[in-house]
């Protein structure tokens, strides 16, 4: 701590009284005790002063021209920016009615004149302590809110990471399994079709052998992103199924609709024109796709949909690759 720096104020006090001698007396006494004191000789001036700089507490006289202390207090309490400032009435009025009215308009305490400075300070310190405690509590609440929001954001990011394939930046197998299970139950209730496209990059092992694993990783990423853009509906899911295999879950889609999506995927991959000199079907990267569309029933399971799409994908490979085949449901 710098020994030359001024001592810290005990509190910022605003005095409101129309009698200058009263203001000077209290100002001198409180300043000597280490408080920072401002004064105003009318309610209107006090309101302007408060708006310029908020005090920690207000000492307010009642008998004043233009606006009496009750009106000044009501004005403060009606303003959302000023209503939390504690107001202590200090007045020569000693009737119970006057004191009750002071509390009714929002005052927190009442001191009668003539006063003892020790009593004024004791009451000031009581309410300043309450204000400090309220401020600490508010700060703690804000910190907790910030911590909670940061924790929620961290959990959201962790959830995203837990469901994301790090290499391709699309959904991973875990997300695929969860999503398919939920969609299956939804379509079972609605009695609507759900479609699945299983996708395999043709001769990918040869691609890795030819271009290296770094080249293979780049290929997987580009293919995954192209598939994701081709399946654009928010209700669909594109996921890395495993290795060089991908999967597309299409909500409320029959085989004909799924074939259209598969055509769009084939076009997107063709537009990438990724060289593949070791492929037997093309000098560019191509895909083999299997399509299945089922209406979920109690006798069927999500695994049935996967099995049908898998059979269709192997049929596409068997028929020469670089094509999409739809499983014919009997």
């Amino acid at each position: 701590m710098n020994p030359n720096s001024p001592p810290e104020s005990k509190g910022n006090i605003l005095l409101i009284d129309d009698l200058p001698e009263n203001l000077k007396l209290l100002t001198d006494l409180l300043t000597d005790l280490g408080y920072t004191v401002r004064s105003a000789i009318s309610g209107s001036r006090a309101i302007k002063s408060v708006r310029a700089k908020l005090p920690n507490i207000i000492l307010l006289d009642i008998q004043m021209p233009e606006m009496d202390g009750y009106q000044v207090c009501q004005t403060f309490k009606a303003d959302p920016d000023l209503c939390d400032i504690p107001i202590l009435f200090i007045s020569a009025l000693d009737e119970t009615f006057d004191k009750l009215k002071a509390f009714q308009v929002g005052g927190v305490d009442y001191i009668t004149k003539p006063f003892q400075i020790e009593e004024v300070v004791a009451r000031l310190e009581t309410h300043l302590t309450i204000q400090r405690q309220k401020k600490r509590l508010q700060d703690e609440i804000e910190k907790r809110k910030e911590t909670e929001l940061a924790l929620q954001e961290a959990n959201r990011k962790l959830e995203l990471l837990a469901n994301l394939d790090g290499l391709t930046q699309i959904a991973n197998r875990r997300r695929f399994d969860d999503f398919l299970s939920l969609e299956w139950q939804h379509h079972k209730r609605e009695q609507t079709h759900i479609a699945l496209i299983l996708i395999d990059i043709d001769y990918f092992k040869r691609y890795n052998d030819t271009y290296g694993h770094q080249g293979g990783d780049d290929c997987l990423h580009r293919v995954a992103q192209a598939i994701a853009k081709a399946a654009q509906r928010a209700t669909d899911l594109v996921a890395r199924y495993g290795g060089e295999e991908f999967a597309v879950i299409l909500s409320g889609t029959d085989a004909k609709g799924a074939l259209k999506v598969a055509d769009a995927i084939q076009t997107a991959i063709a537009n990438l024109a990724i060289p593949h000199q070791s492929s037997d079907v093309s000098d560019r990267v191509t895909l083999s796709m299997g399509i299945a569309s089922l209406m979920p029933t109690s006798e069927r399971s999500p695994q049935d949909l996967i099995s049908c799409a898998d059979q269709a994908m192997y049929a596409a490979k068997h028929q020469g690759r670089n094509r999409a085949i739809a499983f014919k449901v009997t």
Side-chain angles (χ1 to χ4, degrees), residues 49-234:
S49 176
V50 168
R51 294 191 191 283
K53 183 178 180 180
L54 295 180
N56 299 123
I57 198 163
I58 295 172
L59 286 177
L60 174 61
D61 187 28
I62 293 177
Q63 295 176 302
M64 296 187 297
E66 297 179 10
M67 296 176 71
D68 64 24
Y70 299 133
Q71 293 171 315
V72 174
C73 184
Q74 287 174 317
T75 301
F76 282 129
K77 296 305 171 183
D79 190 322
D81 295 326
L82 310 178
C83 64
D84 290 330
I85 304 171
I87 296 176
L88 280 70
F89 283 92
I90 183 164
S91 172
L93 299 176
D94 197 23
E95 296 295 329
T96 301
F97 169 81
D98 299 309
K99 296 177 181 179
L100 287 175
K101 187 172 182 180
F103 288 110
Q104 287 170 353
V105 297
V108 297
D109 211 336
Y110 195 100
I111 303 170
T112 54
K113 299 177 181 178
F115 55 80
Q116 295 292 324
I117 190 61
E118 291 83 5
E119 179 188 5
V120 174
V121 171
R123 298 199 184 203
L124 275 175
E125 278 302 317
T126 295
H127 294 290
L128 284 171
T129 299
I130 292 172
Q131 283 297 95
R132 295 185 193 107
Q133 291 173 340
K134 284 175 65 176
K135 179 65 167 59
R136 281 196 293 268
L137 181 59
Q138 289 170 349
D139 289 344
E140 182 65 27
I141 290 172
E142 286 302 313
K143 286 180 181 178
R144 289 187 180 184
K145 285 181 180 178
E146 291 174 4
T147 301
E148 185 176 335
L149 288 173
L151 184 59
Q152 289 175 356
E153 178 63 15
N155 286 335
R156 187 188 68 82
K157 289 180 178 178
L158 283 173
E159 183 67 22
L160 284 174
L161 288 173
N163 290 302
L164 197 70
D165 179 66
L167 174 62
T168 60
Q169 294 298 295
I170 61 173
N172 59 15
R173 179 62 181 270
R174 171 187 170 183
R175 176 59 179 151
F176 169 85
D177 291 337
D178 291 343
F179 188 83
L180 180 57
S181 178
L182 289 172
E183 286 297 297
W184 185 268
Q185 294 303 319
H186 169 73
H187 287 81
K188 184 179 177 181
R189 290 192 301 270
E190 299 295 323
Q191 281 298 281
T192 50
H193 279 78
I194 179 172
L196 173 65
I197 307 174
L198 285 183
I199 305 167
D200 186 76
I201 300 177
D202 293 327
Y203 297 110
F204 187 73
K205 183 180 182 306
R206 295 186 189 177
Y207 189 96
N208 259 342
D209 292 341
T210 303
Y211 299 99
H213 288 288
Q214 185 62 47
D217 287 351
D218 180 64
C219 176
L220 287 171
H221 181 267
R222 294 178 66 188
V223 168
Q225 292 300 310
I227 295 171
K229 288 179 182 177
Q232 294 180 340
R233 296 189 311 176

Side-chain angles (χ1 to χ4, degrees), residues 225-274:
Q225 292 300 310
I227 295 171
K229 288 179 182 177
Q232 294 180 340
R233 296 189 311 176
T235 53
D236 301 332
L237 179 80
V238 176
R240 187 179 182 189
Y241 192 68
E244 71 273 21
E245 292 186 354
F246 302 94
V248 183
I249 300 173
L250 301 169
S251 178
T253 305
D254 58 16
K256 186 177 180 180
L259 276 168
K260 289 182 179 179
V261 176
D263 287 342
I265 293 172
Q266 290 281 33
T267 300
I269 299 305
N271 289 338
L272 287 180
I274 302 173

